[in-house]
Amino acid sequence: MSAQNSPHASEPLPPRQERASKGANPLRRPSDRFESWFRGLLMLVLVLGLPVAALSAGRTAYESSMRTVQAQSAQRHEVTARLTSTVKDGTTGGKQQAQVRWTDDNGTVRTGTTLVKSGTPKGATVRVWVDRDGGLTTPPMNELNATTTGWFVGGMAAIGVGAACHAARAGMRHVLDRRRYAQWDAEWDAVEPLWSARFRR
């Protein structure tokens, strides 16, 4: 039989279907569309929220630390003290605890313990920090400490936002997958008897 006499020869060719527009895929389930939308939302949060959170937290920490720097600088000052005993050389070098004596602003002789370089002889002078009451204290925070704190807190805030977005995405996938598996089980329970009946005929 020739192609002209073929029963399909006179039938017109089916119209060429245009490519389905994005989002019109019939195989896409509502859960797929929701998942795609949720991923876009999380990406927006990462792009916009992450830098805002990092800068805001870092700036807040920096300003708080600078207030501490100013307060400690106003409350502490350095004085000259003398060692009351020779500091022995340590096996690893560095500094060791030693007794020192100094005179406070009121003329009172005071003593205390501070870190002194190993090998420093008795009677040598060292600089120590004291508070308003004249007692030994640690050096005040400086601007470098405040800057480091701001960067650290800002970085932790950025990591926190990123981790929260990742956890939200993983949790969303877990919930949707459970719903999908339940839906597949229900559909299989409805289709399986009809499908398997064909092999029992």
Side-chain angles (χ1 to χ4, degrees):
M1 181 180 293
S2 64
Q4 294 179 350
N5 297 329
S6 172
H8 303 289
S10 60
E11 295 181 3
L13 294 174
R16 185 176 180 180
Q17 295 183 352
E18 298 293 334
R19 294 183 63 180
S21 60
K22 186 177 180 180
N25 187 343
L27 298 179
R28 282 171 60 89
R29 299 160 296 187
S31 61
D32 296 327
R33 288 190 289 272
F34 175 79
E35 182 178 354
S36 177
W37 173 84
F38 194 76
R39 281 202 305 264
L41 178 63
L42 290 180
M43 184 60 65
L44 183 64
V45 170
L46 278 176
V47 172
L48 299 179
L50 189 147
V52 170
L55 290 175
S56 177
R59 185 175 181 82
T60 300
Y62 171 77
E63 292 175 349
S64 176
S65 298
M66 283 302 298
R67 287 192 293 270
T68 302
V69 169
Q70 295 168 1
Q72 290 184 354
S73 298
Q75 296 171 356
R76 305 176 186 184
H77 62 280
E78 275 189 300
V79 297
T80 300
R82 291 187 180 275
L83 265 68
T84 59
S85 61
T86 300
V87 182
K88 297 180 180 180
D89 287 326
T91 55
T92 58
K95 294 184 176 182
Q96 298 185 37
Q97 295 283 348
Q99 283 286 121
V100 293
R101 181 188 298 115
W102 72 98
T103 303
D104 63 19
D105 296 338
N106 298 323
T108 304
V109 177
R110 305 174 70 99
T111 59
T113 303
T114 187
L115 288 173
V116 180
K117 186 177 179 180
S118 299
T120 305
K122 178 180 179 180
T125 59
V126 293
R127 299 289 289 176
V128 296
W129 287 91
V130 296
D131 55 24
R132 287 180 174 177
D133 297 329
L136 288 177
T137 186
T138 57
M141 287 181 60
N142 54 38
E143 188 173 356
L144 178 60
N145 299 135
T147 302
T148 302
T149 300
W151 278 104
F152 176 76
V153 172
M156 293 302 296
I159 293 174
V161 172
C165 288
H166 177 75
R169 184 175 184 272
M172 178 267 298
R173 284 293 302 272
H174 178 70
V175 172
L176 291 180
D177 284 344
R178 289 189 61 181
R179 291 175 60 89
R180 289 163 181 163
Y181 292 144
Q183 184 178 2
W184 288 341
D185 289 341
E187 292 175 352
W188 177 248
D189 289 341
V191 172
E192 191 274 337
L194 301 177
W195 181 79
S196 60
R198 296 180 302 171
F199 300 96
R200 293 196 294 266
R201 292 178 181 175

